[in-house]
Amino acid sequence: YYDFLMQIKDADPHYFIWLRPNKGTIKYYLRDLVDSNLFTSIIVACIFLNFISMIMNYEGSNGTYEYSLDIANYFFTLVFIVECILKILAYGFRGYYHSAWNRFDFFVALASISEAILVDFEFISRSFLQSFQVIRVLRVLRVLRFLRLVKIIKGLGRIIQTLYWSLS
């Protein structure tokens, strides 16, 4: 009990991060947008569609098929980057990075951008990247977008938290 009380005493809650901006400001309306159920539903739909497009990829597919999947990947990457930017504008840098899930989202968006730059625009030779399996690692990081559903679907988050507690 004493340890618990000491943790509460030492905690530094950042209440100013969660204060609502003044009504009538752009930040106020952006906060309403990113906190809305419609925005969350659109992001969840994009996560599912992105996951389906990643599942549809297979070895030996023709060029047109791969090109359409690449376009879908670019679109979803753009959607997730815009989501990050809107949330940063709505919450501010400290408010956005205060949440571990937002940091995770930002990391996955950066990994997607890195993959697009390294693989699709071929700044580095493809054979060099394949020799170190960098391409596969970056593509696996795109699958992590699906884990964002844990943040949105609370019941799934509770199940994973319970599994985490039971492992220790």
Side-chain angles (χ1 to χ4, degrees):
Y1 179 73
Y2 177 76
D3 291 338
F4 180 70
L5 289 178
M6 293 309 292
Q7 287 177 351
I8 291 173
K9 181 182 106 21
D10 294 337
D12 183 22
H14 301 286
Y15 295 116
F16 65 91
I17 291 173
W18 306 113
L19 291 176
R20 301 258 327 143
N22 295 330
K23 191 170 184 158
T25 62
I26 293 173
K27 200 171 187 177
Y28 177 84
Y29 294 113
L30 282 174
R31 176 78 66 97
D32 278 349
L33 173 71
V34 298
D35 288 343
S36 70
N37 289 332
L38 177 64
F39 185 80
T40 304
S41 299
I42 290 171
I43 295 300
V44 167
C46 285
I47 291 171
F48 276 118
L49 292 173
N50 181 37
F51 195 67
I52 289 170
S53 72
M54 286 188 288
I55 291 171
M56 293 173 60
N57 195 4
Y58 64 93
E59 198 71 35
S61 58
N62 65 19
T64 310
Y65 184 75
E66 283 188 22
Y67 179 73
S68 62
L69 290 178
D70 286 342
I71 294 298
N73 180 44
Y74 292 141
F75 171 76
F76 291 122
T77 300
L78 181 67
V79 167
F80 298 132
I81 290 169
V82 168
E83 177 201 12
C84 288
I85 291 170
L86 287 175
K87 286 187 174 183
I88 288 171
L89 292 174
Y91 294 117
F93 285 111
R94 290 188 76 187
Y96 179 78
Y97 290 110
H98 188 265
S99 167
W101 283 112
N102 285 339
R103 289 191 303 263
F104 175 74
D105 292 346
F106 191 75
F107 170 74
V108 172
L110 283 180
S112 299
I113 293 169
S114 300
E115 179 199 5
I117 290 172
L118 290 175
V119 176
D120 297 329
F121 298 118
E122 295 184 7
F123 286 123
I124 300 174
S125 72
R126 190 174 284 262
S127 61
F128 175 76
L129 292 174
Q130 287 176 343
S131 66
F132 290 106
Q133 301 294 324
V134 173
I135 294 173
R136 289 191 180 167
V137 170
L138 290 173
R139 291 190 186 227
V140 167
L141 288 176
R142 282 193 307 170
V143 176
L144 292 177
R145 289 180 186 157
F146 197 70
L147 290 177
R148 296 175 61 194
L149 294 177
V150 174
K151 173 180 72 173
I152 297 167
I153 302 171
K154 303 296 183 199
L156 185 60
R158 289 186 191 119
I159 290 171
I160 290 176
Q161 188 176 35
T162 303
L163 285 172
Y164 175 73
W165 286 340
S166 66
L167 289 175
S168 61

